[in-house]
Amino acid sequence: MNCCNSKPIIGLYSGEKLCKIHFNDYFESKVSKTIRQFELLGKEENLGVALSGGKDSLTVLHILSKLSKTNPKIKLNAIAIDEGIHGYRDKTLEKARDFCNKNNVELHIFSYKEEFGLTLDEMLKILDVKPCSICGVFRRYLLNKKAKELKLTKLATGHNLDDECQSIIMNQMKNNIQASARLGPKVGLVQDPKFVQRIKPLYLCTEKEVTTYAFINGLLDSFNECPNVPQSFRAQVRDMLNSMEQKFPGTKYSTVNSFLQTLPLLKQQFRSDAVKICAKCSEPSANDICNACVYLEKLKNSIIVK
Amino acid sequence: MEKIKVSVFIDRENRNASLELENNSVVLDLLDKLEINPVTVIVSRNNELILEDERLNDNDDLRILSVISGG
């Protein structure tokens, strides 16, 4: 069923086909509804957007930028992390800078090289670890630390429905249900001043919807994939889910919606796990020493040995 | 029945291809031939997005854009 007489550009899971204008409205309404339904924003925020320069984070920044212009109590900043992945991050950061310049958003860039002394590429030459594991630890560490330094009240990321669906399935497969308790449109188990609350405004938007929105709003650049992705466990789960979605449309929505029903129970079950302070760096930690410091120690010891 | 020829750019593979399809082919037929899952892409013709049931024409110049996040 077509929305109107204009040419449709996307078919929704419901069967409805939307033109450019109606899809734009649909997508922005969906994000607004997600923000309201899950109470992602308060009346006043010093809001940060974790900006990679890819289509998802540009989309969330684009929409929150529009919101901030009509609501001066929502102040907006962008934080970008430069891991030093050669041939990949430099390109996406260029897109990030370009967008922030055009839209008058203050952009703060922090690099692994400056903060930890090594780029990710250099770390991977020293330690035999899965790239995404070490990269994720350092990125989340830096995002939280810098968000606190900037006195941000919330940090929005571009995670979409596909990302969440993959995480849910990955955690099930790895018998890591505690990690799933931290998922959801509002990340984490409890509100704690050691963490800047992370939110996912694109939570109910599929990757295809985000890409379509990015395309029609000039936010889509040429395909650029992190060189470490194809070998990852996540990529394999992603491909499996896309295969299922092709054969059984609605699989991803159903997976995430059913997960949302169990999420309050999971958060309740794991709520008592206290957030510790890392004995080395004083940042929040699940253990006595945080994962970032554990990796930094391993890197330091490996360099000394070499 | 005459066949049609279309040119495509597949951004994920960073390559161009030229394909012959049956007359009356639609976008889905093209994706099937290229073994691309339609869930993972959006397709544009003359910088306008088109749906999977859109009929293709002789000498169409198409872009197949991956929806998959970069990392």
Side-chain angles (χ1 to χ4, degrees):
Chain A
M1 190 178 69
N2 289 14
C3 60
C4 63
N5 291 330
S6 297
K7 198 168 173 64
I9 61 160
I10 187 169
L12 303 181
Y13 164 59
S14 61
E16 199 180 357
K17 294 178 185 177
L18 300 180
C19 70
K20 194 191 287 192
I21 292 174
H22 283 124
F23 172 72
N24 208 66
D25 288 344
Y26 156 85
F27 187 90
E28 291 182 359
S29 294
K30 191 192 260 204
V31 174
S32 294
K33 191 182 163 192
T34 303
I35 291 171
R36 279 196 312 274
Q37 182 181 346
F38 298 105
E39 296 174 350
L40 300 186
L41 295 177
K43 290 196 167 82
E44 268 188 70
E45 300 281 2
N46 190 14
L47 185 57
V49 174
L51 184 64
S52 66
K55 66 169 194 313
D56 301 285
S57 58
L58 281 176
T59 291
V60 85
L61 181 57
H62 177 78
I63 291 182
L64 290 176
S65 212
K66 284 170 122 180
L67 176 71
S68 174
K69 281 171 186 154
T70 58
N71 185 351
K73 289 187 177 176
I74 309 279
K75 292 185 179 28
L76 204 56
N77 295 267
I79 302 186
I81 304 293
D82 181 3
E83 308 94 339
I85 302 171
H86 179 66
Y88 170 62
R89 188 51 78 207
D90 36 0
K91 289 181 189 171
T92 66
L93 282 179
E94 198 183 306
K95 190 90 180 146
R97 281 190 192 96
D98 191 44
F99 181 94
C100 288
N101 282 339
K102 284 181 183 154
N103 290 275
N104 214 24
V105 175
E106 195 168 349
L107 173 63
H108 309 267
I109 303 178
F110 303 103
S111 74
Y112 282 13
K113 185 75 179 180
E114 276 173 17
E115 302 293 328
F116 307 121
L118 295 163
T119 64
L120 181 73
D121 290 346
E122 288 165 350
M123 290 177 187
L124 294 175
K125 282 184 184 146
I126 298 167
L127 286 184
D128 181 22
V129 290
K130 290 192 170 63
C132 298
S133 301
I134 189 171
C135 186
V137 162
F138 282 132
R139 190 184 316 106
R140 285 188 292 272
Y141 174 93
L142 257 191
L143 276 173
N144 191 57
K145 186 175 175 201
K146 296 303 174 184
K148 282 189 297 187
E149 286 174 15
L150 291 168
K151 295 184 172 33
L152 300 178
T153 53
K154 300 251 172 73
L155 184 64
T157 62
H159 289 97
N160 56 50
L161 186 118
D162 285 56
D163 297 316
E164 188 81 346
C165 194
Q166 290 157 24
S167 296
I168 291 163
I169 300 298
M170 285 166 69
N171 290 338
Q172 292 285 144
M173 288 179 166
K174 293 278 188 183
N175 192 23
N176 189 3
I177 211 73
Q178 189 174 2
S180 281
R182 293 188 166 83
L183 295 175
K186 257 187 186 170
V187 176
L189 288 166
V190 290
Q191 272 190 288
D192 190 302
K194 298 184 208 67
F195 289 109
V196 173
Q197 175 70 67
R198 276 183 283 145
I199 59 171
K200 300 173 186 171
L202 304 183
Y203 191 83
L204 295 177
C205 301
T206 65
E207 195 134 45
K208 192 158 185 164
E209 287 174 339
V210 177
T211 310
T212 302
Y213 183 85
F215 181 91
I216 62 179
N217 285 281
L219 304 171
L220 196 64
D221 206 356
S222 52
F223 183 79
N224 189 18
E225 187 174 53
C226 175
N228 298 311
V229 160
Q231 59 188 281
S232 69
F233 178 48
R234 180 176 285 275
Q236 300 203 49
V237 169
R238 175 199 68 203
D239 292 345
M240 177 196 75
L241 282 168
N242 282 328
S243 178
M244 291 300 285
E245 184 72 28
Q246 184 183 10
K247 293 173 202 155
F248 306 103
T251 295
K252 292 181 211 172
Y253 267 122
S254 297
T255 303
V256 172
N257 278 317
S258 56
F259 171 75
L260 280 174
Q261 292 176 57
T262 65
L263 187 57
L265 300 166
L266 286 177
K267 287 195 188 288
Q268 191 65 37
Q269 182 176 344
F270 291 104
R271 193 179 291 273
S272 60
D273 290 352
V275 176
K276 298 179 185 175
I277 300 267
C278 174
K280 284 196 146 202
C281 69
S282 304
E283 288 298 312
S285 175
N287 305 305
D288 294 333
I289 309 287
C290 74
N291 288 333
C293 285
V294 167
Y295 274 129
L296 285 171
E297 192 64 26
K298 283 183 181 172
L299 283 163
K300 192 172 121 190
N301 292 339
S302 296
I303 291 170
I304 292 168
V305 163
K306 282 186 177 166
Chain B
M1 202 183 285
E2 256 188 60
K3 295 208 178 193
I4 59 168
K5 262 191 187 155
V6 300
S7 306
V8 296
F9 173 70
I10 305 160
D11 79 339
R12 190 145 191 238
E13 297 167 30
N14 196 26
R15 71 174 177 104
N16 290 296
S18 200
L19 287 105
E20 212 175 59
L21 298 164
E22 299 295 330
N23 206 359
N24 296 325
S25 286
V26 296
V27 168
L28 194 58
D29 299 317
L30 170 67
L31 296 177
D32 281 346
K33 192 152 185 177
L34 291 167
E35 293 182 342
I36 293 176
N37 181 342
V39 166
T40 66
V41 296
I42 57 175
V43 181
S44 74
R45 177 173 57 194
N46 302 327
N47 214 34
E48 294 286 333
L49 293 179
I50 52 176
L51 296 182
E52 290 162 27
D53 59 1
E54 178 78 10
R55 185 155 161 200
L56 297 175
N57 306 310
D58 196 29
N59 295 319
D60 265 348
D61 195 3
L62 306 157
R63 292 177 71 84
I64 299 176
L65 306 171
S66 175
V67 308
I68 288 171
S69 284

